Amino acid sequence: MNVTVKDVARVAGVSTATVSRALRGFQTVDPVIRAAVQQAAERLNYVGSPAAAALSTGRAGSIGVITPFVNRMAFQRMLSGIETAMRGTDMDLLLYCTGDPSDPHPVPPRKRLARRVEGFIVLSLAMHSPDVEEISKLNMPVASFGEHGPWGASVQLDDRAGAVVATEHLIGLGHTRIALIHGRDAHDPGVLEYQRHLGFNEAMARAGLPVDPTLVLPGDFTIAGGAYAMAQLLDGDRPPTAVFAFSDEMAYGAIRTMRERGLAPGSDVAVIGFDGHETSSLLDLTTITVPFEEIGATTARKLLEEIEGRSGETADVTVLPTQLTVRSSTLGGGATGNLVSSLRSG
Amino acid sequence: MNVTVKDVARVAGVSTATVSRALRGFQTVDPVIRAAVQQAAERLNYVGSPAAAALSTGRAGSIGVITPFVNRMAFQRMLSGIETAMRGTDMDLLLYCTGDPSDPHPVPPRKRLARRVEGFIVLSLAMHSPDVEEISKLNMPVASFGEHGPWGASVQLDDRAGAVVATEHLIGLGHTRIALIHGRDAHDPGVLEYQRHLGFNEAMARAGLPVDPTLVLPGDFTIAGGAYAMAQLLDGDRPPTAVFAFSDEMAYGAIRTMRERGLAPGSDVAVIGFDGHETSSLLDLTTITVPFEEIGATTARKLLEEIEGRSGETADVTVLPTQLTVRSSTLGGGATGNLVSSLRSG
DNA sequence: AGTAATCAAGTAACCGATTACTTGACAATC
DNA sequence: GATTGTCAAGTAATCGGTTACTTGATTACT
């Protein structure tokens, strides 16, 4: 069977307690004995059982990441940030994908992760999701990105300001018929994109421009969804002169549809995205750049602080700013022109 | 403290053994008692301790994914496939990122994951990586993508054939000065890209074309790396007429550099990638499409089979095919308007 | 010298679920 | 009526570390 502390203790000629103390680096162990224990462990190829340690100490030694999607660029960038922040920590990372927010889960996250981890990073969950209630019921450390939930810390994006900046950018260029490609439930508070919707409406209202409801369409946050929405917009009676997509991916789709119809982003219809993925620079897409890596890293750090019981060192809510990155998809002119200017929004 | 089986047993008026049997769905429990136990568990909001269960049964209830990088599109797509395959399973997913293959890890993967998981999915690790030896030493179920390692099952891509097809596509268009942007160690067997390198050389040799070593540059599998490599190529004495990049991301970078210099992919220099990411369709990039989602899902299924002891049901090595997707980055014309006209010849 | 303080190391009681083994009740068979 | 078989349910050992508590030895101090 597996090598256990007992085996190491026997080989090193000490008790199991001493083995544990020696390997965990306690100061109350004679250096000579410590070396002997380490040698014995090495020789036996000993690896402690995390399950036993977890059971004994009550600490799982891992954190869970809960997200509704794994196949979106934003998630990848946040995960990358989380991974960076977790480096050097001895915490492991568990991934739990809730899938479509409306889907019921075969195993609810509570039963699934509850006592397997010491805390959760919750990414982009809609606040009215049943999962949110489930998670908060657990009464465990949580750090989330998105709306501020009924738990500890959260990292938020200044979504509203970003949407205002994006909309004002289009208005400033003289556009009045501005279409909106949102995710799913633009009118549902508690959903991430709601704040963006508010920002859009606010900017339009301030400029005295009407929001044409026929120009507001869902795009499901995917390329295909964005492409379909754009097709609908172009097929409408009075197509828009500018489109604001709530994600870069949807903007990509919109651009694809335009190209298929021989239209050029920028000169024919202005397109602005929201995310600032690296690939957007290649498509010359004007976008609201979001620091997803930083979001991930900050969320992870907050959770670790909470777990270590030193929460409160940083604010419970951190709001990160977005940044407007202007490219030719809203300026028109040279398709290869890569004019880039940046403005802070936050 | 936490609610345990004891609490449930007390409330339900039975022993802990019966609680365990009832909740695990054993058939030898009176339906009436089972219902009582379930009710009690529900009322107490009972969630079993995975650590205790793992310790008792010896089964961790989770698998680990080991990969050197999390911030590449290929990884994201494989992870998505893995996640899909794991749905409905009661296995959890642990993520372990080794980081740069040459980096030493703060905590070696063996100590880190050894007894925390029931098996590993190993993605794209170079075979000479010290991690590979570490992992195989554990003598645990492993399913990997990449070279066939010293362990159970593996999923492989027909890299060589893909590279041959890509190269022959360029040769067929009349190109003779074909540059190669590879990852890091093109000459290092045991690295994923080695097979692609063989395929490239093979196709060139078959066509009687020389491989100019000054046209073979590393691009680190990143956009920035590809952009830099392309700049070097264009700055050379005799720039290539076609470029084969070992990843779409590097091809994106190459295209970016070309655009910055007013060159059009396809008409000025042909560019072909390798990956087939969704975004490549937007850039009109010809590429070798790789079924990464399927790779992830297949690898996960193989591992689950191995864990359940029914390995052998499928072949130990599954080789998945690639597919050539032709777009205007090798044909010229396309989105920017020019039709395919004359092909360069050397 | 005698007593107290200090400290390394051992003993054993946990942590919480699982399950081999045992018990006891009731039914079936001789 | 006595004996055996069946089966639900209880008892308690077990998984492998961790750590409060105990022990025994050495050092410090009156």
Side-chain angles (χ1 to χ4, degrees), chain B residues 166-176 241-242 266 270 286 326-327 329-332 340 342-345:
Chain B
T167 311
E168 285 179 345
H169 172 66
L170 294 175
I171 293 171
L173 293 170
H175 295 282
T176 55
T241 63
T286 296
V326 179
R327 300 202 184 92
S329 77
T330 52
L331 296 183
V340 182
S342 62
L343 295 170
R344 296 182 168 245
S345 57

Side-chain angles (χ1 to χ4, degrees), chain A residues 7-29:
Chain A
D7 301 311
V8 178
R10 185 162 28 74
V11 169
V14 296
S15 71
T16 61
T18 302
V19 171
S20 180
R21 283 188 286 246
L23 293 179
R24 310 188 90 218
F26 285 19
Q27 289 312 312
T28 60
V29 180

Side-chain angles (χ1 to χ4, degrees), chain A residues 8-199:
Chain A
V8 178
R10 185 162 28 74
V11 169
V14 296
S15 71
T16 61
T18 302
V19 171
S20 180
R21 283 188 286 246
L23 293 179
R24 310 188 90 218
F26 285 19
Q27 289 312 312
T28 60
V29 180
D30 188 302
V32 179
I33 291 192
R34 175 192 310 265
V37 170
Q38 278 167 343
Q39 225 168 50
E42 193 66 34
R43 191 152 67 76
L44 294 175
N45 216 4
Y46 169 75
V47 177
S49 154
L55 184 58
S56 187
T57 61
R59 303 201 44 201
S62 56
I63 67 169
V65 175
I66 301 181
T67 179
F69 46 75
V70 301
N71 53 353
R72 289 195 197 149
M73 291 176 155
F75 166 73
Q76 177 178 22
R77 291 174 58 195
M78 290 190 277
L79 183 64
S80 180
I82 291 171
E83 205 279 323
T84 305
M86 301 279 296
R87 282 278 163 120
T89 310
D90 57 351
M91 287 279 195
D92 284 326
L93 209 62
L94 255 127
L95 203 59
Y96 184 78
C97 184
T98 63
D100 197 294
S102 56
D103 281 356
H105 318 307
V107 184
R110 181 168 60 94
K111 302 262 176 187
R112 188 68 177 256
L113 293 180
R115 300 173 65 180
R116 171 147 288 187
V117 298
E118 291 179 41
F120 299 97
I121 292 178
V122 177
L123 299 179
S124 313
L125 267 194
M127 272 312 120
H128 58 30
S129 160
D131 300 327
V132 168
E133 206 190 337
E134 285 273 290
I135 293 166
S136 66
K137 232 191 243 167
L138 292 174
N139 219 27
M140 288 176 86
V142 174
S144 65
F145 164 64
E147 292 285 306
H148 185 50
W151 43 55
S154 82
V155 173
Q156 286 175 52
L157 192 65
D158 200 346
D159 276 295
R160 205 188 44 70
V164 166
V165 168
T167 310
E168 285 178 346
H169 171 66
L170 295 175
I171 294 171
L173 292 170
H175 294 283
T176 56
R177 283 190 63 72
I178 303 177
L180 192 66
I181 303 182
H182 59 86
R184 287 189 196 178
D185 303 304
H187 305 291
D188 178 5
V191 156
L192 230 100
E193 56 186 306
Y194 185 63
Q195 291 296 321
R196 295 185 194 174
H197 206 74
L198 290 184

Side-chain angles (χ1 to χ4, degrees), chain A residues 2-4 41-42 45-52 54-55 59-62 68 70-76 79-81 83 86-100 103 106-107 110-116 137-138 222-224 249 251-253 255-256 259 278-279 281-284 335-336 338, chain B residues 2-4 41-42 45-52 54-55 59-62 68 70-76 79-81 83 86-100 103 106-107 110-116 137-138 223-224 249 252-253 255-256 259-260 262-263 278-279 281-284 335-336:
Chain A
N2 268 322
V3 181
T4 73
E42 193 66 34
N45 216 4
Y46 169 75
V47 177
S49 154
L55 184 58
R59 303 201 44 201
S62 56
V70 301
N71 53 353
R72 289 195 197 149
M73 291 176 155
F75 166 73
Q76 177 178 22
L79 183 64
S80 180
E83 205 279 323
M86 301 279 296
R87 282 278 163 120
T89 310
D90 57 351
M91 287 279 195
D92 284 326
L93 209 62
L94 255 127
L95 203 59
Y96 184 78
C97 184
T98 63
D100 197 294
D103 281 356
V107 184
R110 181 168 60 94
K111 302 262 176 187
R112 188 68 177 256
L113 293 180
R115 300 173 65 180
R116 171 147 288 187
K137 232 191 243 167
L138 292 174
T222 62
I223 294 179
E249 278 137 311
Y252 299 163
I255 289 174
R256 188 168 75 190
R259 284 212 195 136
E278 203 178 1
T279 39
S281 77
L282 293 152
L283 291 165
D284 282 320
T336 51
N338 214 16
Chain B
N2 268 323
V3 180
T4 73
E42 193 65 35
N45 217 3
Y46 169 74
V47 177
S49 153
L55 183 59
R59 304 201 43 201
S62 57
V70 301
N71 53 353
R72 289 195 198 146
M73 289 177 158
F75 167 72
Q76 177 178 23
L79 183 63
S80 179
E83 206 280 323
M86 302 277 296
R87 283 278 164 120
T89 311
D90 58 352
M91 287 279 194
D92 284 326
L93 209 62
L94 256 127
L95 204 58
Y96 183 77
C97 185
T98 62
D100 198 294
D103 282 354
V107 183
R110 183 170 56 97
K111 302 260 177 191
R112 189 68 177 256
L113 295 180
R115 300 173 66 180
R116 171 147 289 190
K137 231 192 244 168
L138 292 174
I223 294 179
E249 278 138 311
Y252 299 164
I255 290 174
R256 188 168 72 191
R259 286 211 194 137
E260 280 166 10
L263 299 173
E278 202 179 2
T279 40
S281 76
L282 294 152
L283 290 164
D284 282 319
T336 45

